[in-house]
Amino acid sequence: MFGDTLKIVNLKARNSFAYWFNIYANYGLKMLVDRNNVKRYSYPARNYFVINDTAIKISRFAPTNKKAINLVISFPMVNIFNINSINGKYKSAGIFGFDAGIDCFYKHNESVSFNIGAAIDGGFGEYFGHAYIETGSTLYVTVRNNNVIGSFDVGYGLNFSKLE
């Protein structure tokens, strides 16, 4: 019992949405009533603790294990085309696209990713009715080195694209 070490972790509380909603609901009068009430605080839904010797780090996200592999599938919501060609500028936007890839973590917060994808600007063909319409499309391959910083994924790498 005497050889055990005690580690205490304090979570920083935040004022809850309900506490701040009092400004709108009752002109802030209920904030005066709740100012000493512990129920005014809220905490993140998940908390992760990483203990290294004597240092304790609190994170909102689960730590990623080294050698972890994540599969990625995404459907881009907006594709914007701004292409300079010999015929002039082509500007358009669309909603059709697909992206698939893999993330390989070589450290708990660093990974290499490989993605391949395609996107079009929404035209279903070059011929529509009695006239031709312009369409834009792209095929791409991306290789990146990523670093996870908090809730952000920052990376650099190479991108090869074929635009039409």
Side-chain angles (χ1 to χ4, degrees):
M1 186 77 168
F2 293 103
D4 295 338
T5 16
L6 178 67
K7 295 185 181 185
I8 298 173
V9 177
N10 291 324
L11 293 177
K12 184 177 179 183
R14 296 186 186 132
N15 290 324
S16 67
F17 173 77
Y19 180 75
W20 289 110
F21 188 72
N22 285 320
I23 295 173
Y24 175 76
N26 50 42
Y27 304 106
L29 296 176
K30 185 81 166 65
M31 292 174 86
L32 295 173
V33 175
D34 287 343
R35 76 175 186 266
N36 294 325
N37 188 348
V38 295
K39 292 182 180 179
R40 85 178 229 195
Y41 297 109
S42 67
Y43 298 92
R46 294 189 173 137
N47 296 295
Y48 297 95
F49 302 98
V50 179
I51 300 173
N52 244 351
D53 293 332
T54 58
I56 298 174
K57 183 179 176 185
I58 301 171
S59 175
R60 288 185 4 199
F61 303 100
T64 306
N65 294 330
K66 189 176 171 179
K67 297 183 182 178
I69 295 176
N70 294 338
L71 298 176
V72 177
I73 295 176
S74 65
F75 299 95
M77 295 300 289
V78 177
N79 306 310
I80 299 173
F81 292 90
N82 188 3
I83 303 170
N84 292 328
S85 69
I86 56 173
N87 298 334
K89 285 191 173 192
Y90 176 75
K91 294 182 179 181
S92 182
I95 59 170
F96 301 108
F98 178 76
D99 182 82
I102 188 167
D103 296 337
C104 300
F105 283 82
Y106 58 90
K107 290 185 179 177
H108 76 281
N109 64 340
E110 293 182 21
S111 68
V112 174
S113 65
F114 174 79
N115 290 59
I116 186 167
I120 61 174
D121 67 351
F124 292 102
E126 293 183 5
Y127 186 73
F128 183 76
H130 296 290
Y132 286 93
I133 60 170
E134 290 184 322
T135 60
S137 65
T138 182
L139 296 172
Y140 60 88
V141 175
T142 304
V143 178
R144 291 186 341 178
N145 184 41
N146 305 303
N147 193 353
V148 179
I149 302 170
S151 58
F152 293 100
D153 188 359
V154 181
Y156 60 89
L158 298 173
N159 181 358
F160 300 100
S161 300
K162 179 184 178 187
L163 300 168
E164 291 184 359

